[in-house]
Amino acid sequence: STTAQIQSTTVRIQSTTVRIQSTTAQIQSTTVRIQSTTVRIQSTTAQIQSTTTQIQSTIVRIQYRNLANLLLLNTKAMALPTPAVGCPKGCRANARIEPIQSVEVAQEAFEVFDLRSHHVTRMVELMEKYADLPMDMADASLEVPSRTSGTRTDFDSWSTRL
């Protein structure tokens, strides 16, 4: 009877060992599936981030285009001065006024200047220099980009006339 009990216990241990081995195989299989899913999730996340960046860039372009369209619509007879024939680059003497024919032309007519905090010092200097004239912060904020880009402005000539 003891031998029968030992044999019965041995069979139960062997059966339990088989079940443990089967469960271990299932756990390993599940782990592989989880790792594969994690890789797919990471790939999808990278695609989402890339798409988000593209969308943000597109939104900025659309906002810029909408602003240009609004400027075009709100100014109705907006026109660009065109230098006269034989006039050196930047000269506006005897310039003709030509109506803007398309949004594309209007968009090319505008260049956005990014005023930064370090420009404020120059703006204050200009306001102090022209304190006897009606130069305020708005005027100075237009003069700084003009002078930075080397574009000739008429403020100096106006100041000598007054």
Side-chain angles (χ1 to χ4, degrees), residues 115-133 135-145 147 155:
L115 281 174
R116 300 289 185 161
S117 58
H118 68 274
H119 292 113
V120 173
T121 304
R122 182 64 181 138
M123 291 165 57
V124 170
E125 289 171 0
L126 287 169
M127 289 188 300
E128 289 172 354
K129 178 178 178 180
Y130 299 109
D132 58 328
L133 300 173
M135 179 180 268
D136 59 8
M137 184 67 79
D139 296 318
S141 71
L142 295 173
E143 282 294 306
V144 167
R147 292 172 185 225
F155 203 87

Side-chain angles (χ1 to χ4, degrees), residues 8-22:
S8 173
T9 302
T10 302
V11 168
R12 281 196 314 253
I13 290 173
Q14 289 172 344
S15 174
T16 303
T17 302
V18 168
R19 284 196 313 265
I20 289 172
Q21 289 171 344
S22 173

Side-chain angles (χ1 to χ4, degrees), residues 3-148:
T3 305
Q5 286 178 341
I6 291 175
Q7 287 176 344
S8 173
T9 302
T10 302
V11 168
R12 281 196 314 253
I13 290 173
Q14 289 172 344
S15 174
T16 303
T17 302
V18 168
R19 284 196 313 265
I20 289 172
Q21 289 171 344
S22 173
T23 302
T24 302
Q26 289 173 351
I27 289 171
Q28 289 172 343
S29 174
T30 302
T31 302
V32 168
R33 285 196 313 270
I34 288 171
Q35 289 171 342
S36 174
T37 302
T38 301
V39 168
R40 285 195 314 271
I41 289 171
Q42 290 170 342
S43 174
T44 302
T45 300
Q47 290 173 348
I48 289 170
Q49 289 171 340
S50 174
T51 302
T52 300
T53 301
Q54 291 172 354
I55 289 170
Q56 289 169 339
S57 175
T58 302
I59 287 171
V60 169
R61 284 194 310 273
I62 289 170
Q63 288 172 337
Y64 178 78
R65 178 164 285 181
N66 286 344
L67 176 61
N69 288 339
L70 284 174
L71 287 171
L72 189 62
L73 292 174
N74 289 335
T75 55
K76 293 179 186 167
M78 184 175 167
L80 295 173
T82 304
V85 176
C87 186
K89 184 176 181 178
C91 173
R92 301 269 186 217
N94 301 319
R96 312 186 318 269
I97 301 296
E98 295 182 5
I100 294 177
Q101 300 297 323
S102 70
V103 173
E104 289 76 21
V105 173
Q107 289 172 338
E108 290 175 12
F110 296 99
E111 181 178 334
V112 177
F113 184 87
D114 191 14
L115 281 174
R116 300 289 185 161
S117 58
H118 68 274
H119 292 113
V120 173
T121 304
R122 182 64 181 138
M123 291 165 57
V124 170
E125 289 171 0
L126 287 169
M127 289 188 300
E128 289 172 354
K129 178 178 178 180
Y130 299 109
D132 58 328
L133 300 173
M135 179 180 268
D136 59 8
M137 184 67 79
D139 296 318
S141 71
L142 295 173
E143 282 294 306
V144 167
S146 296
R147 292 172 185 225
T148 302

